[in-house]
């Protein structure tokens, strides 16, 4: 089913000690593989956009690669993904997803703050910033794919 549920965070990270309960949606093994495939597609397309000098597009695509990577890892390790509007909630959920979640958190924590700037603000994205986002997205997608490959 695709119903929302609420899960309380049992061991939140230091930064999220006062975080609200996380809205979640269940994730099946097939969905884990689909999220990982989407993450890979977004990461590859972000790299192509970067090579073409399309820094806003590459940054936006990289962010979506990171988000889909998080959904894949949380789905595989926890059987659910974050479904709320609060971007920090995905970081809380990832902190419960073991070492794979911790790998994604390191990069997603740097990607998420750029979402508004890349997608809604008129500001440019510097080439160096775009390049870093693509690197982060590729790392996230690699973790998601590794996890999906072991999900049955």
């Amino acid at each position: 089913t695709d119903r929302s549920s609420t899960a309380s965070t049992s061991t939140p990270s230091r930064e999220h000690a006062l975080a609200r309960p996380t809205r979640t949606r269940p994730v099946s093994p097939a969905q884990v593989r689909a999220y990982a495939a989407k993450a890979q597609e977004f990461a590859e397309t972000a790299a192509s956009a970067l090579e073409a000098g399309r820094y806003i597009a590459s940054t936006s695509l990289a962010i979506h690669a990171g988000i889909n990577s998080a959904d894949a890892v949380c789905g595989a390790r926890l059987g659910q993904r974050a479904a709320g509007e609060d971007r920090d909630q995905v970081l809380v959920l990832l902190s419960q997803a073991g070492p794979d979640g911790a790998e994604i958190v390191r990069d997603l924590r740097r990607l998420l703050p750029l979402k508004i700037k890349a997608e809604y603000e008129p500001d440019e994205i510097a080439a160096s910033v775009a390049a870093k986002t693509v690197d982060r997205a590729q790392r996230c997608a690699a973790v998601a794919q590794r996890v999906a490959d072991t999900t049955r």
Side-chain angles (χ1 to χ4, degrees), residues 2-9 20-26 80-86 89-90 93:
D2 196 30
R3 296 183 326 216
S4 290
S5 64
T6 303
S8 150
T9 55
R20 295 178 305 276
T22 304
R23 281 190 53 224
T24 62
R25 292 194 187 263
Q80 60 187 351
R81 66 171 179 84
E85 296 291 322
D86 184 351
Q89 294 298 319
V90 70
L93 203 58

Side-chain angles (χ1 to χ4, degrees), residues 19-45:
R20 295 178 305 276
T22 304
R23 281 190 53 224
T24 62
R25 292 194 187 263
V27 177
S28 70
Q31 289 171 320
V32 167
R33 290 186 290 278
Y35 284 127
K38 284 176 64 175
Q40 189 62 43
E41 183 174 333
F42 278 127
E44 289 172 2
T45 308

Side-chain angles (χ1 to χ4, degrees), residues 6-21:
T6 303
S8 150
T9 55
S10 58
T11 56
S13 67
R14 285 189 318 253
E15 295 90 10
H16 303 290
L18 300 175
R20 295 178 305 276

Side-chain angles (χ1 to χ4, degrees), residues 90-112:
V90 70
L91 300 174
V92 171
L93 203 58
L94 277 167
S95 73
Q96 300 170 15
D100 299 312
E103 280 188 71
I104 301 288
V105 163
R106 280 191 291 276
D107 287 314
L108 192 60
R109 184 178 312 246
R110 303 297 293 265
L111 290 170
L112 288 176

Side-chain angles (χ1 to χ4, degrees), residues 119-140:
E119 295 181 3
Y120 304 107
E121 298 295 330
D123 303 333
E124 294 294 321
I125 300 287
S128 61
V129 171
K132 288 177 186 174
T133 65
V134 170
D135 288 344
R136 290 181 177 109
Q138 290 172 329
R139 284 193 299 268
C140 288

